Amino acid sequence: MQHHQTPQTTPAPPRPTTTPHPKAPRPGTAGPPAWLSPALLVLGLGLWGLALPLVDFRSMEDYGLLDRLPLPFYASLVVLTAGFLVALRRAGTAPGWPLVHCVALLVALKAAPAVLYDAVRYPWASKHDAVVSALLGAGELRPYAGLSGNMSAYDQWPGFFTLNAALVRAFGVESTAAYLNWAPIVLGLILLPVLVLLYRTFTEDWRLVWTAVWIFQLANWVGQDYLAPQGLAYVLHLTVLTVVLRHFVRPGAADRLGDRAALDPAAAGVPPATSTRQRAIGVLVLAPLILAINAVHQLTPVMLCVVLAALCLTRRYRNLGLLAVTGLITLAWDLTMGRPLFLETLATLKDSLGRLTQNSRAGYTGQLTGPGPELAGRAGIAMALAVALCAVIAVLARRRLTRSTLPLLLASAAPLPLFAVNDYGGEMLFRVYLFGLPGAAFFAAAALVPAAGGARRSRGALARRRITAVALPAVLLALTAGFLPAYYGKDAMYYTPPAESALVTRAIDRMPAGGLLLATSGSFPQALHRYDEVEHWWFCEQDPAENERMLVDPARYLADRIPPGAAVHVVLTRTQDVYTAGEGLLPSGGFALLRDRLKASPLFRTVEEQPYGIVLAYAPSTTTPGGAS
């Protein structure tokens, strides 16, 4: 808020204990009219709705959905960003409009597949649908069953699947496929109030809160918010963290932050301290949430333990009791329900401990190839670096804010040491980024939103305001431009026509119990249909050099490794073609070569062939005496 200096003849009034609202327009200047923000919101959503019927998603090629989105779609994101920036000017007095814009951004960014696609987005999401269907069919959990592809791990952490089994029954739908594509929107809406409470713990400036939420949504491109255990566990994790940060302050631990003169103008006061008894009750209240996290996901409880341990480094949140309870619940679950996978993971630690480079690799067996996947990979890296750079600038430039928000900074950096432990199947890089993102988004916003209020109007402060006035819209638009290829650049391998899924379903339904399904990879819908009755071998999910050797004589390569007497079907589909090429598992033209050579081999006969794929049966007895070895 701007102050005019006048001669003082009386003592200056005491410094206010709360931060003023964001700077109002100076006398003689007009701020944006009140109707402009809602008008831009309506225009942006109107352009988005106009764009959807123009999206030809069935003809996606190299760039996935990216080059199938029409100009009105891109224009809608620019208009929504402009409306948000206008609403941000009045965030202190009307925080509802930035909230509405954040909801609109969530819908505009992630609802298109839910509205458009006539099939499940993300082939591996159908795996979770298969687990729910198997749970409903069997009516029981089988955590110790030896299911192909380590699928029994889903029964060892069944919370997410039992919840969705209940939803399927409650909604009266056939399977989770009826609502699966809407998961990013639902989880995003649930996460919104959690993020707001988290950020309001550390700042009174609504502009900073909503900018952090906006950046979080743009930077959350990693695709972990689909219908999966991680998405639900992540919401529960942030909920526990927010409760701890707001209600577990130790008495006298933050006395040095009680003087607002030592704080950034945007900083919030430390939450009221709680007694030992109150914190003990808080632990009991949080215990069911912590148990729910353990019932849902394997990695998230470990992340929670690491974050709580990092908070213990501050006197403000040093609660060894909560950390001990969290650790004991996690260990108890791992040694009972999750024991098989837990022991298997422990056995691999000797090979992964300390291998930072290996553990921080991206989750690809090969190398991303093709314009869309390559652009998606580069955009993701650029997005992460941009957010990290802005966050570092804020940490260094706004040290008084950093001092008061140190717990959030520690919580965001806490997952980094897990790179020294395990690669989590090539996913650790994405999970560390995901769990560090809430804090990173907050500090990135702090670099772009200048502190409001204050009597000092130095030239440096005015220069910073002019810089941020340009940097804020520029960075938000740049992050929007980065989100789109990172999130949609690989949709050619994420969308599968219903006819292809039906082909796969028919092929697996023909197989006897105990049969063996062969495919290049497991990244195609219905790949794990009847997973509790059928074995699987994804024979191209190995070193690409080995795949090139396999292509010399794929029929003999597979036959030499098929167990004697097994009833084997090979399913090769268009989605597998796109996936093996995009992930670099097979060389250019390798999938077509594999299909043609298997089709021509006397060791395999064609069961069904459609434009979207082919089903082959292994039939050695009809061609070679004694069959294959």
Side-chain angles (χ1 to χ4, degrees), residues 14 26 46 84 105-106 184 188 193 196 224 236 282 299 317 358 413 501 516 518 525 587 592 606 611:
R26 287 179 293 179
F84 172 74
L105 178 71
L106 174 66
V196 171
Q224 295 297 335
L236 296 175
L299 181 64
Y317 296 103
Q358 178 69 17
S501 298
L516 176 61
L518 271 61
T606 300

Side-chain angles (χ1 to χ4, degrees), residues 447-470:
L448 299 170
V449 177
R456 294 182 58 189
R457 306 293 294 171
S458 66
R459 291 183 179 179
L462 292 174
R464 285 192 294 271
R465 287 182 181 278
R466 293 191 182 101
I467 292 172
T468 55
V470 175

